[in-house]
Amino acid sequence: LAKTTQPISMDSYEGQEVNITCSHNNIATNDYITWYQQFPSQGPRFIIQGYKTKVTNEVASLFIPADRKSSTLSLPRVSLSDTAVYYCLGQSSTSGTYKYIFGTGTRLKVLA
Amino acid sequence: EAQVTQNPRYLITVTGKKLTVTCSQNMNHEYMSWYRQDPGLGLRQIYYSMNVEVTDKGDVPEGYKVSRKEKRNFPLILESPSPNQTSLYFCASSLPGQVSYNEQFFGPGTRLTVL
């Protein structure tokens, strides 16, 4: 199960693209990378998941390079409502365990 | 509406008084889990359950118990709460084995204060 490292906080302005990078140097062959978003006083919410290359959905894009030792969550044209904590999570699909380590997350603040 | 519910949402108690936080999901999910969230420490997994009668320890299980007698319910039990268990607790559920197996659905949280 990969331990992940993220920046503690980031600031951005409305309308800008935000990229949050997560380091997972010990990622195993079967590990997927998943990102969650958490607003104050709410439970985390699934954003996106990927294994390699690029994944895109209606909310974000996820870029995973060939060596898979890092991943980047990209939020296009952020708004004030994107202010939240973003967690990168590594999880193996075949390890037989479903222990999750969320880490401390990245606190994104979007400014007007 | 598909959801995970937790009760109570807020609880203030005293050291040593046994308490139970209930968690229920209506999505027929096999996997359920409990987390605690503390400032500066992020989310830490307490216990999880792969299915009925199957539970296992997460990273911080000390001082907690769980049971999974029904698929939809996964209560968290604090037999003798202590002040260091003051925290925000989240229950989550998901369908392991599917393409989006890691898409956990979280409850609204239970804020527990142990005096």
Side-chain angles (χ1 to χ4, degrees), chain A residues 34 36 38 49 98 100, chain B residues 31 37 45 50 101-102 104:
Chain A
T34 310
Y36 282 81
Q38 186 180 26
Q49 177 181 277
Y98 284 84
Y100 294 94
Chain B
Y31 180 91
Q37 186 169 39
Q45 192 173 36
M50 295 296 294
Y101 69 89
N102 202 3
Q104 295 183 69

Side-chain angles (χ1 to χ4, degrees), chain A residues 34-106:
Chain A
T34 310
W35 286 79
Y36 282 81
Q37 175 191 57
Q38 186 180 26
F39 297 113
S41 301
Q42 294 185 25
R45 184 182 69 168
F46 174 91
I47 301 177
I48 196 167
Q49 177 181 277
Y51 182 77
K52 61 181 179 180
T53 62
K54 177 182 176 181
V55 179
T56 298
N57 62 22
E58 65 278 6
V59 177
S61 293
L62 178 60
F63 300 91
I64 303 174
D67 65 7
R68 304 199 333 117
K69 293 186 182 299
S70 67
S71 61
T72 299
L73 175 72
S74 181
L75 304 172
R77 298 179 300 281
V78 294
S79 64
L80 295 176
S81 62
D82 291 316
T83 293
V85 179
Y86 293 83
Y87 292 95
C88 165
L89 178 68
Q91 168 58 29
S92 173
S93 63
T94 60
S95 69
T97 178
Y98 284 84
K99 292 179 68 171
Y100 294 94
I101 301 175
F102 272 79
T104 56
T106 298

Side-chain angles (χ1 to χ4, degrees), chain B residues 6-72:
Chain B
Q6 296 179 224
N7 282 293
R9 294 289 313 280
Y10 303 90
L11 179 60
I12 300 175
T13 188
V14 296
T15 299
K17 185 176 181 181
K18 180 179 179 180
L19 66 91
T20 299
V21 183
T22 64
C23 173
S24 183
Q25 49 94 5
N26 62 2
M27 295 169 280
N28 202 34
H29 285 170
E30 295 171 357
Y31 180 91
M32 297 187 74
S33 181
W34 276 102
Y35 298 86
R36 61 176 290 174
Q37 186 169 39
D38 303 290
L41 297 177
L43 283 152
R44 295 180 292 169
Q45 192 173 36
I46 303 171
Y47 269 96
Y48 65 94
S49 170
M50 295 296 294
N51 213 326
V52 175
E53 302 292 359
V54 181
T55 63
D56 208 345
K57 298 177 180 178
D59 276 344
V60 289
E62 296 77 21
Y64 304 94
K65 288 176 59 177
V66 293
S67 69
R68 187 89 181 276
K69 292 181 169 40
E70 304 168 279
K71 197 172 188 178
R72 64 181 293 129

